[in-house]
């Protein structure tokens, strides 16, 4: 959700484009995009020319994975909790390249940071022990996974993976605005993050990080007139479209400066931790991650469903539709580790009473489900 000030910023760019479309496309668009990249570079501690503005994480991941050259015997390592569309993109690469396969790291929370790193490294060592001539070329690693929502020990994972000569692509879709990003310190090979999730820009705005050493390899999904001219030029023009959502990142950064980045992050984190505990108390259950530093602005609360194989739950969107249709509420719900969980997001416009209300709604829904004869 974006603020009114961000919406006004978006409309400023939209109206500017409509006032004189030819001038906008031919003269004014690229300088406006460069200004936003400059602001983001300061925010993320990197060079502006290492950033490309794209519509969303899916687009950025597709750009990198479909640009890299994979040869027979290459493997792509990923966590079992990888986001579905990212997993599908990896599977597509495997389907369209001879003898390129996935190496999956099983992740079942709760785990400590050390256990997560150990599990990933053990998977690498098990692969190396086969001595079959194949190599793990690339690792797709969540910084904050989607379901379940868990903050991973990203610096330790990046350093460990790179020590094995593995390229590291950090899926940080949920990170910018939820946790500080210092790309100079983290030093990934690639990183993508959605600005419209937690930074509060308008939907359809993300930023892709590609260091200069790899830029000659990476091209946008839509090849345009600037092919092979420069990384910046190729990604600055995606054809005729409305760029106002991407440019609204400017308004989002202005809004966050007004209230303070640290203050926003601290408020949302504390509310997620306390709200998750309060919901678990109402439901008589628990949160998934007992370690507070593994919680960003999202917390996973166990739903007290007695029969997780209830026939109604076989319909993928049953609980989602019920919450939206009857209560006008939405929280992702999912199976993990033999239980059902709700992922609850904390935002600056929410307070503890909202978590308590959601807890009571979920209790009513689950009590009715549990009362049915199955």
């Amino acid at each position: 959700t974006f603020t009114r000030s961000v919406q006004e910023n978006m409309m400023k760019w939209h109206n500017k484009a409509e006032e004189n479309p030819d001038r906008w496309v031919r003269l004014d668009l690229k300088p406006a995009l460069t200004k936003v990249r400059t602001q983001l570079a300061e925010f993320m501690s990197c060079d502006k020319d290492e950033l490309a503005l794209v519509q969303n994480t899916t687009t950025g991941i597709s750009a990198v994975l479909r640009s890299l050259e994979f040869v027979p015997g290459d493997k792509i390592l990923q966590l079992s909790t990888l986001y579905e569309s990212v997993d599908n993109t990896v599977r597509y690469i495997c389907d369209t390249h001879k003898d390129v396969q996935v190496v999956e790291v099983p992740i079942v929370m709760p785990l400590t940071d050390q256990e997560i790193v150990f599990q990933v490294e053990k998977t690498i060592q098990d692969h190396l022990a086969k001595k079959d001539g194949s190599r793990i070329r690339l690792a797709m690693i969540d910084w904050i996974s989607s379901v379940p929502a868990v903050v991973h020990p990203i610096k330790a994972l990046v350093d460990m993976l790179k020590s094995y000569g593995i390229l590291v692509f950090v899926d940080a879709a949920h990170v910018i605005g939820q946790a500080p990003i210092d790309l100079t310190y983290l030093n990934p090979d690639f990183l993508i993050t959605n600005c419209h999730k937690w930074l509060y820009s308008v939907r359809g705005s993300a930023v892709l990080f590609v260091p200069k050493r790899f830029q000659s390899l990476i091209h946008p999904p839509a090849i345009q007139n600037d092919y092979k001219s420069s990384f910046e030029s190729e990604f600055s023009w995606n054809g005729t479209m409305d760029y106002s959502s991407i440019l609204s990142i400017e308004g989002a950064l202005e809004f966050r400066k007004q209230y303070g980045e640290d203050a926003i992050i601290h408020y949302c984190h504390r509310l997620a931790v306390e709200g998750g505990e309060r919901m678990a108390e109402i439901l008589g259950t628990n949160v998934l991650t007992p370690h507070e530093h593994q919680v960003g602005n999202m917390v996973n609360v166990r739903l007290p469903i007695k029969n997780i194989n209830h026939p109604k739950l076989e319909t993928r969107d049953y609980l989602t539709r019920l919450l939206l249709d009857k209560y006008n509420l939405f929280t992702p719900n999912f199976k993990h580790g033999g239980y059902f969980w709700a992922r609850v997001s904390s935002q600056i416009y929410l307070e503890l009473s909202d978590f308590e209300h959601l807890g009571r709604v979920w209790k009513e829904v689950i009590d009715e489900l549990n009362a049915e004869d199955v």
Side-chain angles (χ1 to χ4, degrees), residues 8 20 28 41 81-82 116 143 163 175 216 220 286 297 301:
E8 290 169 354
N20 192 331
D28 294 342
T81 52
L82 195 68
I116 292 171
W143 186 333
S163 74
V175 176
S216 64
N286 60 282
N297 298 2
V301 182

Side-chain angles (χ1 to χ4, degrees), residues 170-220:
V170 176
D171 179 356
H174 280 278
V175 176
I176 193 169
Q178 189 171 170
I181 298 179
D182 185 334
L183 288 170
T184 301
Y185 170 71
L186 184 60
N187 192 30
D189 294 306
F190 309 98
L191 180 142
I192 181 70
T193 187
N194 276 329
C195 298
H196 55 247
K197 288 187 180 294
W198 299 97
L199 196 72
Y200 306 140
S201 60
V202 177
R203 287 179 295 279
S205 49
V207 57
L208 171 67
F209 168 76
V210 178
K212 292 179 180 179
R213 64 184 181 274
F214 292 121
Q215 288 182 0
S216 64
L217 304 176
I218 307 303
H219 306 282

Side-chain angles (χ1 to χ4, degrees), residues 252-268:
L253 292 171
E254 289 174 357
F255 172 81
R256 298 180 76 86
K257 278 185 180 179
Q258 180 181 353
Y259 291 94
E261 188 67 20
D262 291 342
I264 292 173
I265 290 175
H266 176 75
Y267 177 82
C268 292

